[in-house]
Amino acid sequence: MSKPKLIVLTGAGISAESGLKTFRGNDGLWENYKIEDVASIDGWHKNPELVLEFYERRRQQAMQAKPNEAHLYLVDLEKDYEVQIITQNVDDLHERAGSSQVLHLHGSLMHYKSTNSSYRGIIQQPLKLGQLCPNGHQLRPDIVWFGEDVPLYPEALDLVRDCDVLLIIGTSLQVYPAAGLAYQAPSHSKTILVDPYADEIPLESQNTTYIIRKKATLAWKELKDLLV
Ligand code: NAD
């Protein structure tokens, strides 16, 4: 018999206990920078050097961080579920924990792409201004910024629409279109939300939603009870 399909939609909160800061908790700032300065296409056009430095620091920080208990229990769930992670995170902690199917909706700190072609690769050395793809275009972090399309959204939507359980961990559900995935699970499915500040999340429908108001690493027992 095939295993039930479990989609896990994660956000910055799941990596908080690995030491990587979220941004909603900081008055619209991400690591003391204005989000529009470092995480928007306009910010990139205004000051690419600042943006490159910012993401290089995030990359270094992410490489030093370790997956936490929450990243690890998602791997454990693969014994009983066909687990697909859809993360808004740009760190690689799900992969390093051992999750086998991870879709990065908002890109990855560890990869670069060309500003004007499909050329992509893994960042080995800090990206610099003047570092070009073979067609002569500047390289940039392979991150989806505010003001840009989310190319993997249609794939993520198809996955959510076909799930048996939707588990949402550590996202404020304020960044669209990613947040819209929370409302796309089929009617027979079960939705579970894990967030210590869940009451501040603008959840549209809570009919079939179970809420665990705990930090991700402390939610395992309740989660197991809900998943049986
Ligand atoms: P967010 O910062 O808007 O929201 C984080 C959510 O996590 C909040 O609802 C908060 O209550 C919750 N939270 C805090 N600590 C938690 C914990 N220990 N356990 C469970 N939940 C906890 O994050 P978002 O909704 O993911 O949107 C932010 C955007 O910022 C994303 O697109 C992402 O790409 C980017 N971002 C990524 C990282 C990362 O990759 N680690 C870090 C910061 C921002």
Side-chain angles (χ1 to χ4, degrees):
M1 215 177 77
S2 61
K3 295 177 186 172
K5 293 179 185 166
L6 169 62
I7 299 288
V8 192
L9 176 62
T10 63
I14 196 169
S15 296
E17 290 166 88
S18 292
L20 303 179
K21 286 193 182 145
T22 63
F23 64 52
R24 294 295 150 192
N26 300 323
D27 300 329
L29 299 179
W30 184 6
E31 297 277 358
N32 298 323
Y33 287 83
K34 283 188 190 163
I35 289 168
E36 59 269 28
D37 288 346
V38 293
S40 78
I41 187 67
D42 289 346
W44 167 253
H45 288 142
K46 271 189 207 139
N47 193 345
E49 208 148 21
L50 172 82
V51 174
L52 289 178
E53 278 168 24
F54 175 81
Y55 283 97
E56 176 54 21
R57 259 181 265 135
R58 303 285 76 72
R59 186 176 77 97
Q60 294 293 342
Q61 212 178 30
M63 286 193 301
Q64 278 155 26
K66 291 193 175 61
N68 63 45
E69 285 301 311
H71 296 102
L72 294 171
Y73 67 59
L74 295 180
V75 181
D76 212 45
L77 287 173
E78 294 190 11
K79 288 182 200 142
D80 299 314
Y81 289 86
E82 194 184 306
V83 179
Q84 169 72 55
I85 294 180
I86 299 175
T87 188
Q88 296 167 78
N89 292 345
V90 290
D91 65 54
D92 60 352
L93 295 179
H94 285 302
E95 286 91 338
R96 283 202 274 135
S99 281
S100 47
Q101 301 201 83
V102 185
L103 181 153
H104 280 272
L105 212 48
H106 293 162
S108 153
L109 285 172
M110 308 301 160
H111 294 81
Y112 62 74
K113 68 177 182 182
S114 165
T115 43
N116 210 9
S117 77
S118 56
Y119 186 77
R120 284 186 152 78
I122 296 174
I123 301 178
Q124 311 281 3
Q125 297 294 326
L127 285 180
K128 298 277 179 227
L129 265 193
Q131 204 176 334
L132 310 177
C133 76
N135 290 334
H137 305 294
Q138 175 66 42
L139 298 182
R140 55 164 272 187
D142 192 357
I143 302 279
V144 176
W145 287 320
F146 287 104
E148 297 191 299
D149 286 341
V150 183
L152 293 180
Y153 183 75
E155 190 181 329
L157 188 57
D158 285 348
L159 288 163
V160 173
R161 285 184 169 159
D162 189 32
C163 75
D164 298 299
V165 181
L166 174 62
L167 172 58
I168 304 172
I169 306 181
T171 166
S172 60
L173 294 181
Q174 291 188 32
V175 178
Y176 276 81
L181 294 171
Y183 314 110
Q184 295 296 331
S187 54
H188 74 265
S189 68
K190 187 189 268 187
T191 297
I192 305 170
L193 176 77
V194 177
D195 196 302
Y197 306 106
D199 295 331
E200 292 167 27
I201 297 177
L203 258 191
E204 279 169 20
S205 157
Q206 305 200 2
N207 293 352
T208 53
T209 303
Y210 300 86
I211 299 181
I212 303 174
R213 291 176 179 78
K214 288 198 167 170
K215 288 185 175 182
T217 57
L218 303 178
W220 181 224
K221 189 180 169 311
E222 280 95 330
L223 251 182
K224 273 207 300 200
D225 291 346
L226 284 171
L227 285 169
V228 286

